[in-house]
Amino acid sequence: MTSGPDGLGTRLRHVLELLDGDVATFLADIGLDGYRPRYSPVVRALLAKGPLAIRDLAAEMRVTHSAASQTVAQMHRAGLVALEPGADARQRIVSLTEQARGLLPLVEAEWAATTEASEALEAELPYSLRAVLDAIVEALDRKPFRQRIGETEAARELL
């Protein structure tokens, strides 16, 4: 992804910053100052599956182990998740704390409001943003972006 003002990566990051920034503002508005938008996929996965190893949590969230681990560390510092040793010394099992469970009514209300707002945003678009994002993931699963870069004429001149 190019990093210039017209690059795909720049545009994607900008959209994500706009969305996450406004969700974070709404979270603060409803009294969830320390709760970050990136915590919701962790909470959702743990509610759906129960305690999980970070590796399994990452798979549920469709993020890297590193990204899941960083988010879990932030949530642990905020008192929202507990970490227990797993089957081997390297594994840590993540579970929601009572503090996190106490926030669930507000968090679930935020999820409902965010979902409704997302649907309203998509209704304004000429195509489904979710469908486009799913299609991008499927295309990248078929052929990673690194491979696509390597197949370009510009890359062949560099390699």
Side-chain angles (χ1 to χ4, degrees), residues 106-117:
L106 277 177
V107 170
E108 289 171 342
E110 178 271 322
W111 291 341
T114 300
T115 298
E116 190 176 328

Side-chain angles (χ1 to χ4, degrees), residues 15-103:
V15 168
L16 186 56
E17 287 170 2
L18 290 172
L19 294 172
D20 270 0
D22 283 344
V23 170
T25 299
F26 182 73
L27 287 165
D29 290 347
I30 63 171
L32 290 172
D33 292 317
Y35 187 92
R36 299 179 59 190
R38 69 185 302 171
Y39 297 169
S40 287
V42 174
V43 173
R44 285 179 170 262
L46 295 174
L47 284 174
K49 301 287 184 169
L52 291 170
I54 292 177
R55 176 191 73 239
D56 298 329
L57 186 58
E60 281 293 316
M61 295 167 39
R62 297 179 75 180
V63 299
T64 64
H65 182 278
S66 176
S69 184
Q70 289 173 16
T71 301
V72 164
Q74 291 173 347
M75 292 179 75
H76 183 67
R77 284 191 297 274
L80 299 173
V81 296
L83 298 172
E84 302 294 332
D88 66 51
R90 296 169 297 166
Q91 190 179 57
R92 293 182 297 159
I93 306 299
V94 184
S95 61
L96 293 175
T97 63
E98 286 306 313
Q99 178 182 338
R101 291 187 182 281
L103 298 177

